[in-house]
């Protein structure tokens, strides 16, 4: 046997072992509603120099594969350093798109508008991801003339090779909210997402140069740490209100660093960990935002492995489940690290089965966001295969945010099956309803074989989640005689689902 054949056999064996372990560890009762996201980042430079056509082909290919793997939401980075991967009159085009800040793409296109359309065509949500405070990364050498740091240098401070919009300057809150309002107003996004960059990550030997602002805007707060947290808290509330004032249905999400506070800093509430802290080091009081309803979902970045000495994954997922359940809680997963480390209780497989089991056991965890999308597409450690074949085998709808809207739309109308040249097609019409709370934006198609009970709570019966008002019945759906039934439901902006309308076809 040739070497490559031996390697291929070993690879197939490992996949079989993983699949068996996964299916044994995972419950057959898969959730019908689950947020299944993936981050697509630009700040790593993966798109620079591609050109319009190649970038579109790359993204389209990724979206196709991610849909096969069960992903239902894309979090797409559109503002890494006070710049834009979309057409903006406020900030310059991003160098992470074109190679030079301020230079428009050629041939011209708008990546955010394109991604919204592509995701919606695949039944996915699109969440626009911005970095609110970062104005320049370490690797950026040149800023455009219309960049905020050039036009208003007093609004930023330098720290560890970066430029940061100073959270202590009240005008900066208004500036960021103006940028966000512009995005939300002009693009049909489903969510607005920010990451873990608030005050900068601590760098050895450096201090944050905000003493002057503290003296001017302290509001009587005696501790500078409390003042910094106050600045971020005020911003978070203002940003939440800005988004929902423009479009109440656009979800606001944050993905903070994975440790809120260590037990040694906060014995009563801290986790049994030993690492960087949101509250103490980044001045991000995440629990205040969650408990006050200033975010719609929270995605702590639990990028460590089970058994990590300083930040054990199992410890942290249990901590977040206990303390951050007042808004939707999704877990940020590192694909490569999950695939790299063995399960402590079964070293023949990686940690994906064990982590998925932990997810099942958590009461408040309603989803996952994968860091990062390309690692899933590249099938690192067979991660994508396991999602497709086991964990996310069936499609999932979004969890309901009833505090925004919990009322279901009406049924679809005038369902019929028409024999077309290429095969039968199921058609329907949108339900009646006006306003964002009542209009249908997507549809769910279910297939039931002869003898099946029409049960739309069973996600294994879902064959499509689509924005179309038709479904082309595949040849594989048609059995060897008998009756097949299809049911269609309508989804509104918040994924509230209507009652089903059914149509049967005999073969």
């Amino acid at each position: 046997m040739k070497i490559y054949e031996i390697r291929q056999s070993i690879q197939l064996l490992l996949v079989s072992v993983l699949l068996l372990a996964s299916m044994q560890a995972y419950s057959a009762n898969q959730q019908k509603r689950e947020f299944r996201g993936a981050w697509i980042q630009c700040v790593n430079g993966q798109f620079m120099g591609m050109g319009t056509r190649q970038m579109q082909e790359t993204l389209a290919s990724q979206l196709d594969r991610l849909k096969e793997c069960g992903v239902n939401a894309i979090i797409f980075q559109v503002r890494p350093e006070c710049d834009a991967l979309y057409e903006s009159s406020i900030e310059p085009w991003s160098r992470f798109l074109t190679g030079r800040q301020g230079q428009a793409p050629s041939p011209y296109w708008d990546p955010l508008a394109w991604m919204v359309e592509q995701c919606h065509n695949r039944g996915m949500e699109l969440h626009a991801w911005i970095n609110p405070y970062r104005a320049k990364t370490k690797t950026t050498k040149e800023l455009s003339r219309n960049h905020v740091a050039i036009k208003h240098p007093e609004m930023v401070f330098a720290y560890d090779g970066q430029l940061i919009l100073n959270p202590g300057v009240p005008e900066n809150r208004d500036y960021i909210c103006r940028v966000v309002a512009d995005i939300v107003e002009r693009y049909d996004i489903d969510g607005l997402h920010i990451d873990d960059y608030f005050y900068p990550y601590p760098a050895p030997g450096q201090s944050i140069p905000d003493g002057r602002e503290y003296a001017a805007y302290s509001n009587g707060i005696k501790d500078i740490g409390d003042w910094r947290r106050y600045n971020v808290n005020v911003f978070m509330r203002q940003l939440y209100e800005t988004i929902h004032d423009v479009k109440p249905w656009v979800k606001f999400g944050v993905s903070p660093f994975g440790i809120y506070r260590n037990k040694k800093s906060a014995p009563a509430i801290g986790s049994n960990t030993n690492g960087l802290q949101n509250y103490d080091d980044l001045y991000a009081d995440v629990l205040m935002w969650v408990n006050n309803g200033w975010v719609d979902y929270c995605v702590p970045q639990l990028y460590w492995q089970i058994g990590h000495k300083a930040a054990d994954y199992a410890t942290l997922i249990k901590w977040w489940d206990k303390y951050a359940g007042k808004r939707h809680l999704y877990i940020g997963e590192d694909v490569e690290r999950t695939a790299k480390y063995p399960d402590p209780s079964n070293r023949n497989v990686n940690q994906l089965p064990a982590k998925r089991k932990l997810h099942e056991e958590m009461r408040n965890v309603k989803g996952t966001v994968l860091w990062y999308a390309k690692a899933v597409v590249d099938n690192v450690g067979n991660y994508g295969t396991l999602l497709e074949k086991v964990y996310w085998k069936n499609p999932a709808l979004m969890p309901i945010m009833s505090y925004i809207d919990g009322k279901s739309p009406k049924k679809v109308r005038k369902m019929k099956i028409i024999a077309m040249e290429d095969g039968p097609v199921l058609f329907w019409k949108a339900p009646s309803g006006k306003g964002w709370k009542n209009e249908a934006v997507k549809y769910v198609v279910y297939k039931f074989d002869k003898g099946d009970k029409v049960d739309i709570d069973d996600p294994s019966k879902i064959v499509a989640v689509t924005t179309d008002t038709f479904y082309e019945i595949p040849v594989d759906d048609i059995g060897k005689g008998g009756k097949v039934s299809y049911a269609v439901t309508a989804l509104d902006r918040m994924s509230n689902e209507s009652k089903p309308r059914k149509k049967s076809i005999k073969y």
Side-chain angles (χ1 to χ4, degrees), residues 238-268:
Q238 183 177 343
L239 183 56
Y240 180 85
E241 291 172 351
T242 296
I243 293 165
H244 287 281
D245 283 348
V246 178
K247 289 179 180 175
W249 63 86
V250 173
K251 305 164 188 175
F252 176 39
V254 58
S255 54
F257 185 73
I259 298 172
Y260 176 68
R261 302 192 80 184
N262 299 311
K263 189 174 285 291
K264 65 182 181 183
S265 300

Side-chain angles (χ1 to χ4, degrees), residues 368-420:
T368 309
V369 183
L370 304 173
W371 177 258
Y372 48 98
K374 188 174 183 299
V376 181
V377 173
D378 291 344
N379 203 26
V380 174
N382 300 300
Y383 202 105
T385 299
L386 289 164
L387 291 181
E388 179 187 11
K389 302 296 184 185
V390 182
Y391 300 112
W392 292 352
K393 179 180 179 180
N394 301 317
L397 309 186
M398 289 293 167
I400 292 174
M401 294 182 176
S402 57
Y403 57 90
I404 296 178
D405 174 34
K407 184 180 178 181
S408 298
K410 295 181 179 179
K411 286 184 180 181
V412 301
R413 300 176 296 133
K414 298 183 178 179
M415 271 182 64
K416 56 186 175 181
I417 295 175
I418 299 178
M420 308 292 283

Side-chain angles (χ1 to χ4, degrees), residues 191-205:
L192 193 289
H193 183 89
I194 66 174
D195 54 22
D196 54 330
Y197 293 99
F198 300 100
Y199 278 88
Y201 275 64

